Amino acid sequence: MEDFEIVGRIIRDYPDALSERKKLQALFLDFFPQDRLKRNTLLMVYDDGIVNEMKGLAQMDRMVMHRFVKSVEQGYGIRSKNAESAVLTWAQAMGLLPDHGSSGAGCSVQEKVLAEEESVKEWTAVESDSLYEYEEMSWGIRILRYMDFDESVVVIPNVIEGKKVIAVWNHAFKGCSGIEKIIVSEGIEILGNGAFLNCKGLREVELPGTLKRIGTTDPAGCPAILGGMTKFDGAFEYTALESIKVPDRVKYIGEHAFAGCGELKKVTLPRELKEIQKNAFRWCRSLEEVVFPQELEVIRLSAFEGCESMSTIELPEGVKSIEEGAFAGCRNLQSIYIPDSVTEIGGGKGSGFLQTFGEPEERREEFTILCNAGSYAMRYARAQQIRCAPRMYG
């Protein structure tokens, strides 16, 4: 049986699998037990929101196909042929390619649409007189280093010497303390680890709607600590940002992304973000308001540790896990609403000594967990001797 026939059978026989990632992952493990690469790439297409977008299509043309392939290739850093194979499998399984995606005469989908792609204007070209060190990849240019003197406002171009800029790579602007505002041009999709690390004068950033990732899984240039573990530098770690609205296309925000941003007061996260990575907002001492995404499932280790200006938190329905230290050191936190969907508080891969909401002496005396009777949150509160109360609906 062909791969697309297997995926088609899953869609037909287990329709709820497309709305429940864990079930889909388990089914892929059952049907492709020996092929980890295939399982992972198929899940990447799903996680990137492409499968959901495919549901609304009657048929898929070459340009749409190529856009999906590029999205997976660039967003997850995998080889083009693997991304193309996974997208084709889903498209065939959902009946969007009547000829089952035959590319004919050994010609790939990407090669077929190359001429068409050149004629499509996805965004307005923005070039720059500033100096950059850059590297040309198969999918576009990534900026490696800003080589010019600091200006108060820097516009990062989406075109350099006629070629598209896709990424601002690891540590590209590290230590540029004189920059106060950065405008990232439309068309750029990735901001690497430590891209703006220690830009201590950076108070404002405009992010493009095309952005997909803040931080990567590439450890290049990030320090090894604690016996070999890698500490991924945050893209905006130790900057002076005062507020940030992350575009809705962003599916991944890396570890330490905004850690140490002492002036940050308000954060709006993208609607479909599923995980807040560890230490993402650690020691953001001025942080008062977080607009959490409705699709959020996990808050990782120490994600908001030391955010001592937060007073109330309302987690969205659907959150499943709050790891240890997630809200430790939030000394002024008065209440947090924890929905019934949460079934784990305090898990994770930390030392095991860090309380999720800090030590008793760190908390306000009136700190309260708001929850429903009989919920896991209530049982946790009782076990930890934390006050709990019903949520009051306005």
Side-chain angles (χ1 to χ4, degrees):
M1 186 180 291
E2 297 284 347
D3 292 345
F4 74 87
E5 294 174 316
I6 294 174
V7 176
R9 177 181 171 187
I10 290 173
I11 294 171
R12 183 182 66 252
D13 295 348
Y14 307 92
D16 58 333
L18 293 188
S19 59
E20 189 176 342
R21 187 187 189 279
K22 285 186 177 180
K23 185 167 186 178
L24 182 62
Q25 187 176 22
L27 287 166
F28 282 162
L29 186 60
D30 288 341
F31 285 98
F32 304 109
Q34 305 300 322
D35 199 332
R36 182 180 179 184
L37 176 62
K38 186 172 296 178
R39 296 197 305 268
N40 287 344
T41 53
L42 288 171
L43 280 171
M44 287 173 189
V45 177
Y46 176 85
D47 290 338
D48 204 44
I50 291 171
V51 173
N52 193 50
E53 192 170 343
M54 284 182 178
K55 291 179 186 177
L57 299 177
Q59 195 169 351
M60 187 153 48
D61 60 30
R62 292 172 180 171
M63 287 306 299
V64 173
M65 172 70 73
H66 184 53
R67 176 166 63 85
F68 288 161
V69 171
K70 277 183 63 181
S71 180
V72 177
E73 179 188 358
Q74 295 165 12
Y76 295 90
I78 66 173
R79 296 176 64 184
S80 176
K81 69 175 186 179
N82 293 331
E84 184 176 321
S85 174
V87 171
L88 281 171
T89 297
W90 276 108
Q92 293 163 9
M94 298 177 79
L96 300 178
L97 299 175
D99 60 353
H100 299 311
S102 173
S103 54
C107 198
S108 72
V109 170
Q110 289 184 313
E111 289 170 335
K112 280 190 165 189
V113 300
L114 188 59
E116 295 174 60
E117 180 192 17
E118 292 300 320
S119 66
V120 175
K121 189 175 184 180
E122 298 175 344
W123 30 257
T124 303
V126 176
E127 299 199 51
S128 171
D129 293 331
S130 297
L131 302 176
Y132 294 93
E133 178 185 335
Y134 61 89
E135 179 180 19
E136 189 171 352
M137 312 293 288
S138 62
W139 39 267
I141 281 178
R142 61 182 184 184
I143 292 174
L144 301 179
R145 203 76 62 231
Y146 177 65
M147 304 295 290
D148 219 333
F149 292 103
D150 293 355
E151 299 284 347
S152 59
V153 179
V154 172
V155 178
I156 301 177
N158 54 29
V159 173
I160 294 179
E161 303 213 356
K163 300 180 178 67
K164 293 181 181 179
V165 177
I166 300 297
V168 180
W169 210 238
N170 300 348
H171 305 108
F173 285 80
K174 179 181 177 181
C176 293
S177 57
I179 300 176
E180 298 175 7
K181 178 178 179 179
I182 283 180
I183 300 171
V184 184
S185 295
E186 291 292 332
I188 293 175
E189 300 181 2
I190 302 170
L191 301 180
N193 302 316
F196 306 101
L197 176 68
N198 288 330
C199 293
K200 296 185 180 296
L202 182 61
R203 295 188 173 276
E204 185 179 355
V205 63
E206 292 184 15
L207 300 177
T210 52
L211 193 65
K212 295 180 180 179
R213 294 174 69 85
I214 299 176
T216 73
T217 55
D218 178 2
C222 293
I225 57 174
L226 299 178
M229 291 177 60
T230 298
K231 185 265 184 186
F232 287 91
D233 290 328
F236 293 95
E237 191 171 2
Y238 298 119
T239 62
L241 289 178
E242 297 176 351
S243 67
I244 187 73
K245 184 179 187 304
V246 183
D248 281 335
R249 288 190 70 190
V250 173
K251 299 294 196 301
Y252 178 84
I253 299 175
E255 299 175 12
H256 296 86
F258 299 93
C261 294
E263 305 299 318
L264 189 62
K265 292 183 174 66
K266 180 178 179 179
V267 172
T268 302
L269 294 170
R271 288 177 295 182
E272 296 184 8
L273 187 73
K274 294 187 181 298
E275 296 187 6
I276 298 176
Q277 298 296 327
K278 70 177 185 179
N279 301 308
F281 297 94
R282 192 182 190 197
W283 305 124
C284 292
R285 299 184 185 279
S286 301
L287 185 60
E288 298 173 352
E289 181 181 356
V290 178
V291 180
F292 288 97
Q294 293 304 306
E295 300 294 322
L296 184 65
E297 294 182 357
V298 181
I299 301 174
R300 296 288 183 196
L301 187 76
S302 296
F304 293 94
E305 182 183 353
C307 294
E308 55 189 36
S309 295
M310 299 177 78
S311 59
T312 61
I313 296 171
E314 184 160 327
L315 298 180
E317 305 293 335
V319 174
K320 298 175 183 177
S321 175
I322 306 170
E323 293 189 350
E324 63 184 271
F327 298 98
C330 297
R331 297 177 180 274
N332 290 300
L333 189 60
Q334 297 177 26
S335 67
I336 180 171
Y337 168 65
I338 301 179
D340 291 355
S341 54
V342 171
T343 57
E344 181 182 50
I345 300 176
K349 297 181 180 179
S351 64
F353 295 105
L354 195 59
Q355 295 279 349
T356 300
F357 300 101
E359 298 299 327
E361 59 270 20
E362 293 181 317
R363 307 177 201 135
R364 292 179 65 113
E365 184 177 347
E366 67 270 28
F367 172 63
T368 305
I369 290 178
L370 303 178
C371 57
N372 294 319
S375 66
Y376 176 86
M378 174 184 257
R379 297 197 300 274
Y380 172 86
R382 295 275 168 80
Q384 298 294 321
Q385 300 181 49
I386 296 174
R387 184 196 310 250
C388 61
R391 179 193 190 193
M392 303 300 291
Y393 293 89

